[in-house]
Amino acid sequence: MDTPRRKLRNLHMENVQNSSTPIRVPPSPMLKTLGHGTGVSVYRLDRSPRLGQIRSPWAVKRITQSMRVRKDTLFNARIVHEADILRKLKHPNIVGFRGVVTNDEGVNTLALEMCTTSLGSILEERHDEDLGPLPAKNTFKMIMDVALALDFLHNEARLLHGDLKSFNVLVKGEFEICKLCDFGVALPLDEQGEINFPKNPGLRYVGTSLWCAPEVIDDMDIIDSKADIFSFGLVIYETLALVPPHTLELDAALGEELDSSHDLSTETEKMQRKQLDFSADESKGGPVEMDEQTDNDMSTEVIDDDEEEEEEEEVDEDEDDTKENDIKENDISDFTLNNLHSAYGTRPPLPVAFQLSDDYNCIVELFYLCTNALSEDRPAAKTIWQCLENNAANVATGSD
């Protein structure tokens, strides 16, 4: 599906935001689960036809039932914060905002543009099927699209994404277009393109440690947009290694052979993906301050008492997942975890199992440039997409 022209896209967004038609979101068990994050789940909402016209599905995001039972307000507040940000971001490479509703229990639900899948899911499948690195042409498309989104985010919206990783890059079709998502922990950049934490004590960086830049891991007082660029470099790494950054080192610490088909056990990988959040507390963890804002033109769907049984099933699943991950975490020694933590904020070595063709030379070069230790040595997002554009033009004309 082609991206609508900007004029049509903006008109569509105005219609969505100004529409008086209520958003009806059924209980979670009645929705198709698309994925899980820390404290939240994402579901597919198939909308019923209107006036004989088929309407595209939406992705809806809400806190998990276990978080509701615990009355944890942090992740619920992040959904409101993300909605407040997304309604202001209009860019073809940023996931579209569709609406936000709050039910009588105070649970927030965010409705978003639906994409086919995430880059992280694609890479997981390639890893499981031993298919090798993502094809170079798809990686170039992803890099171009995400760089365009970051350039807009850093220089026009004045925001730091703050949690860039493969699962926060959405893919439509066969890499027809890639879109950046998940702005729940985004931070405002000042006029200098920086975040000065001592001057803004209410602001906190809440990224996932495996993808964090060294200045974040070192708890620096001032960081800039290049923190996103380091994380972007690690997303590029994921397209080559097919596993999250630093988890190959975890394999080594566990005594597994790096060259025996680079296998990262499912249990260890799931544990790591669950663990990604608890280690963020080592840096600046916590919610971002936000302004209160309500959508008076949107109604909510109240979950009736007779649906409690279905909701209980979700509670049990969440609790089982939590117990399972706690066990897996305890099975890994403190020595191994310390080795993993010491790798945070560094450039992970590329896997030796893959033989990369010359098509990947530019991709590998970008990985190294984006993961330079010093932020000033990393390229800006604009530099990245401009270089790719120039290279594409040179290839098309046969120039060197």
Side-chain angles (χ1 to χ4, degrees):
M1 181 185 297
D2 293 332
T3 303
R5 294 192 300 276
R6 182 173 293 277
K7 184 176 180 181
L8 293 178
R9 176 183 169 82
N10 290 346
L11 178 62
H12 173 66
M13 288 302 299
E14 289 173 8
N15 289 339
V16 167
Q17 294 177 28
N18 295 330
S19 172
S20 59
T21 303
I23 294 178
R24 307 289 289 179
V25 182
S28 300
M30 299 172 65
L31 300 171
K32 179 182 178 182
T33 302
L34 295 177
H36 298 282
T38 305
V40 296
S41 293
V42 182
Y43 307 92
R44 177 188 173 106
L45 172 62
D46 289 308
R47 300 185 296 154
S48 57
R50 180 192 296 169
L51 300 177
Q53 291 185 339
I54 296 176
R55 297 191 292 171
S56 61
W58 286 348
V60 295
K61 182 178 183 179
R62 59 166 55 138
I63 62 172
T64 60
Q65 182 64 14
S66 62
M67 289 297 174
R68 283 176 249 175
V69 170
R70 296 172 196 165
K71 301 188 183 301
D72 189 310
T73 61
L74 173 61
F75 299 105
N76 201 37
R78 284 182 185 171
I79 287 177
V80 176
H81 175 60
E82 182 173 8
D84 189 43
I85 288 175
L86 278 173
R87 62 165 52 91
K88 302 171 187 174
L89 300 181
K90 296 180 176 64
H91 189 276
N93 298 114
I94 290 179
V95 69
F97 171 76
R98 298 295 181 259
V100 62
V101 294
T102 305
N103 67 13
D104 289 346
E105 297 174 346
V107 176
N108 301 314
T109 300
L110 175 63
L112 302 165
E113 169 188 18
M114 180 77 182
C115 291
T116 308
T117 187
S118 72
L119 177 64
S121 295
I122 292 172
L123 299 179
E124 274 192 340
E125 289 178 11
R126 294 190 68 85
H127 173 271
D128 292 344
E129 297 174 17
D130 200 18
L131 294 177
L134 189 68
K137 66 177 182 178
N138 293 343
T139 301
F140 276 121
K141 177 61 175 171
M142 182 278 294
I143 294 173
M144 172 66 83
D145 287 357
V146 174
L148 286 167
L150 289 176
D151 182 25
F152 169 82
L153 202 65
H154 295 162
N155 296 306
E156 294 190 43
R158 290 287 180 184
L159 285 172
L160 183 81
H161 183 276
D163 196 19
L164 191 55
K165 53 191 174 185
S166 61
F167 283 94
N168 288 339
V169 176
L170 301 180
V171 179
K172 273 199 170 185
E174 296 297 322
F175 283 85
E176 293 159 16
I177 190 168
C178 299
K179 296 173 180 269
L180 199 54
C181 73
D182 201 345
F183 294 82
V185 295
L187 295 171
L189 296 167
D190 62 21
E191 296 78 9
Q192 289 75 41
E194 298 176 338
I195 303 169
N196 188 315
F197 291 107
K199 288 184 178 179
N200 299 277
L203 298 182
R204 299 186 146 201
Y205 189 100
V206 192
T208 307
S209 293
L210 289 180
W211 285 267
C212 281
E215 58 268 27
V216 173
I217 297 298
D218 292 341
D219 206 17
M220 300 290 287
D221 287 339
I222 299 175
I223 65 173
D224 58 23
S225 60
K226 298 294 184 67
D228 272 348
I229 299 299
F230 188 92
S231 301
F232 188 26
L234 295 183
V235 173
I236 297 173
Y237 166 87
E238 289 184 83
T239 67
L240 300 170
L242 303 182
V243 293
H246 311 304
T247 50
L248 288 179
E249 293 96 311
L250 178 62
D251 267 350
L254 291 171
E256 297 181 7
E257 295 292 333
L258 289 180
D259 57 356
S260 61
S261 75
H262 53 278
D263 178 46
L264 181 67
S265 70
T266 302
E267 290 76 16
T268 302
E269 187 166 343
K270 284 182 179 177
M271 186 286 300
Q272 269 306 315
R273 293 189 187 284
K274 183 72 177 177
Q275 178 201 319
L276 303 182
D277 185 70
F278 85 75
S279 53
D281 292 337
E282 298 168 5
S283 53
K284 297 178 172 72
V288 180
E289 290 186 336
M290 61 190 82
D291 297 326
E292 291 185 3
Q293 188 164 354
T294 58
D295 286 351
N296 296 323
D297 60 338
M298 296 182 179
S299 72
T300 63
E301 172 118 352
V302 180
I303 299 177
D304 298 329
D305 291 337
D306 59 359
E307 288 163 346
E308 285 298 322
E309 243 181 82
E310 293 177 298
E311 287 292 312
E312 283 300 320
E313 292 179 14
E314 189 179 345
V315 176
D316 294 340
E317 288 178 9
D318 287 335
E319 287 177 350
D320 288 344
D321 287 344
T322 302
K323 290 175 183 176
E324 182 182 0
N325 280 293
D326 286 343
I327 293 170
K328 288 168 186 170
E329 187 177 312
N330 292 333
D331 284 344
I332 296 182
S333 69
D334 290 339
F335 174 76
T336 299
L337 287 178
N338 287 337
N339 282 346
L340 178 66
H341 292 174
S342 66
Y344 293 162
T346 66
R347 177 191 292 146
L350 289 172
V352 298
F354 297 139
Q355 295 296 319
L356 299 175
S357 66
D358 291 344
D359 293 343
Y360 289 91
N361 288 348
C362 183
I363 295 170
V364 172
E365 183 178 356
L366 280 172
F367 158 63
Y368 278 102
L369 286 172
C370 292
T371 54
N372 276 320
L374 298 178
S375 64
E376 56 264 33
D377 292 337
R378 301 171 207 150
K382 186 173 185 177
T383 302
I384 295 173
W385 70 257
Q386 284 182 338
C387 285
L388 291 183
E389 200 172 65
N390 291 338
N391 285 342
N394 290 337
V395 170
T397 60
S399 302
D400 290 333

